[in-house]
Amino acid sequence: MVYTRKTFVWAALILVSSVFAVVLQWASLPAATLLGPMLAAMVFAFCGVKLTVPRWAFTGAQSVVGCMVALTMSPAILSTLLQSWPAILFAIALVIIFGALVGHGLMHFGTLPGNTAAWGTSPGGAVAMMAMAESFGADIRMVAFMQYLRILVVVLTASAVSRLLLGGSVADLPPPTWSPGFDAPLIPLIQTLVLVAVGVLAGRIGRIPAGALLIPMVLGAVLNSLGFIHITLPPWLLWAAYASLGWYIGLKFTPETLRHTLRVLPQLLLAVVALMALCCIAAWMLTVWAGVDPLTAYLATSPGGLDSVAIIAADSGCDLAFVLSLQSLRLFAVVLTGPLVARLICRINGRSACGMA
């Protein structure tokens, strides 16, 4: 009887998550297939429903996200990087430093626990930051809220800047597609699933923090760029990973967590605005030093999600290859440097709640 009731509750959660995801996609919000399940799980948790996502599902989701990050390191991106590497690396370093400065300020003057501020203010890779944060002792609920608050504000601002200030047109999100992608090429799919499995197993056996994400990311980037494998991520695989990650986070929310989130909302908004302002400095330096046009420089250094910025850049008349190269490499760099930056910020602030989980 208990098993039947639990199955019914899971079926209800899946149904509500699907409805939320469709509504968010219709509203043109980024990462609808992650935010929908997360919001649905929060509603269920507030109603007293006791569900837990199996640990293997969470680590599997981490590994899929690692493959997704690896896929951004394509030969075309690397070609553009080789052509403009000084400007791109300089801008990436600046944005990472600015993110660390904002995280330091939020931790020093704010009220967030442990290294949550450091992970929450990492400039890019929201899903990856959420997938890694808990492994390094951060509050995954607050990290998720901070990351998607930043993306929402950045996307709205980037759209306004593109349209009103710099003369570009705003790209609409592509029409939603709900095809599960069961017709994905078999051999690349098998290669991708093997890479996911390697990440999960190596992360557990090697006891590497967030190894389930980092190992597929690095290994997949090398093998995919060299043409030894072809990573493919059909919608059904991404939906499963995003739903697992969303449920894992959402089911941990409590009324007290929500109250705390609302109390610190002004701090978080101030941090987002500060990070955006600092990134504008990086954009200005690109225009002065490398001769990059203002719109391209602004979108390339914008601390938003890669997919959202790419959509805006596509129809804005800017150098799309430069924007995607800088955003993709920054995503890769932020994931690799995230643990080091978080640990450094904690050490500067004298926090002890930064131990590795």
Side-chain angles (χ1 to χ4, degrees):
M1 186 68 180
V2 175
Y3 179 79
T4 303
R5 182 181 181 278
K6 193 172 183 179
T7 302
F8 173 78
V9 175
W10 270 112
L13 178 58
I14 292 172
L15 177 61
V16 175
S17 299
S18 301
V19 172
F20 280 15
V22 170
V23 171
L24 293 175
Q25 181 75 54
W26 176 80
S28 297
L29 290 178
T33 50
L34 185 145
L35 293 179
M38 187 170 72
L39 292 175
M42 290 171 60
V43 172
F44 275 57
F46 291 153
C47 293
V49 174
K50 302 295 183 182
L51 289 176
T52 55
V53 175
R55 188 69 187 180
W56 61 264
F58 178 63
T59 55
Q62 286 183 306
S63 197
V64 171
V65 172
C67 292
M68 183 183 67
V69 177
L71 198 55
T72 65
M73 288 291 102
S74 65
I77 296 297
L78 296 177
S79 175
T80 303
L81 171 62
L82 290 176
Q83 296 173 10
S84 309
W85 67 268
I88 289 177
L89 293 183
F90 178 72
I92 289 172
L94 274 183
V95 173
I96 292 177
I97 291 171
F98 290 154
L101 288 175
V102 173
H104 165 70
L106 191 58
M107 183 180 293
H108 186 75
F109 298 105
T111 57
L112 293 178
N115 59 358
T116 300
W119 286 97
T121 56
S122 294
V127 178
M129 292 301 102
M130 290 158 47
M132 295 177 66
E134 189 177 56
S135 300
F136 290 89
D139 185 341
I140 192 172
R141 298 164 299 185
M142 289 301 302
V143 171
F145 182 82
M146 293 169 67
Q147 287 287 338
Y148 280 101
L149 176 67
R150 174 179 54 80
I151 286 179
L152 178 62
V153 175
V154 167
V155 168
L156 292 176
T157 305
S159 297
V161 168
S162 178
R163 180 188 293 266
L164 300 175
L165 300 183
L166 299 176
S169 61
V170 180
D172 295 324
L173 285 172
T177 173
W178 298 102
S179 172
F182 292 138
D183 57 347
L186 183 59
I187 298 302
L189 178 60
I190 292 175
Q191 293 172 338
T192 303
L193 293 177
V194 169
L195 185 60
V196 170
V198 167
V200 174
L201 292 176
R204 293 189 62 180
I205 295 174
R207 298 187 179 278
I208 303 172
L213 183 145
L214 294 175
I215 292 173
M217 185 186 78
V218 176
L219 186 61
V222 173
L223 296 178
N224 190 70
S225 297
L226 295 176
F228 292 128
I229 67 171
H230 299 283
I231 297 175
T232 183
L233 297 170
W236 65 264
L237 183 58
L238 287 175
W239 293 347
Y242 281 12
S244 297
L245 190 57
W247 290 332
Y248 186 85
I249 297 168
L251 290 171
K252 291 177 175 291
F253 268 85
T254 63
E256 176 56 33
T257 304
L258 180 61
R259 286 192 290 270
H260 176 67
T261 301
L262 294 177
R263 283 197 298 268
V264 300
L265 183 59
Q267 301 175 27
L268 305 186
L269 286 172
L270 181 61
V272 170
V273 172
L275 179 59
M276 291 170 59
L278 289 171
C279 287
C280 285
I281 297 176
W284 174 76
M285 295 186 73
L286 276 180
T287 62
V288 173
W289 178 40
V292 179
D293 67 273
L295 179 57
T296 297
Y298 178 81
L299 293 177
T301 56
S302 177
L306 171 62
D307 50 354
S308 304
V309 172
I311 290 169
I312 296 171
D315 287 346
S316 296
C318 65
D319 187 343
L320 182 60
F322 186 89
V323 172
L324 292 181
S325 298
L326 200 152
Q327 288 279 346
S328 298
L329 188 61
R330 191 189 73 207
L331 169 61
F332 206 82
V334 164
V335 175
L336 285 178
T337 60
L340 176 63
V341 171
R343 193 179 300 175
L344 180 62
I345 294 174
C346 288
R347 186 173 300 169
I348 293 173
N349 284 275
R351 296 289 181 93
S352 60
C354 300
M356 300 307 172

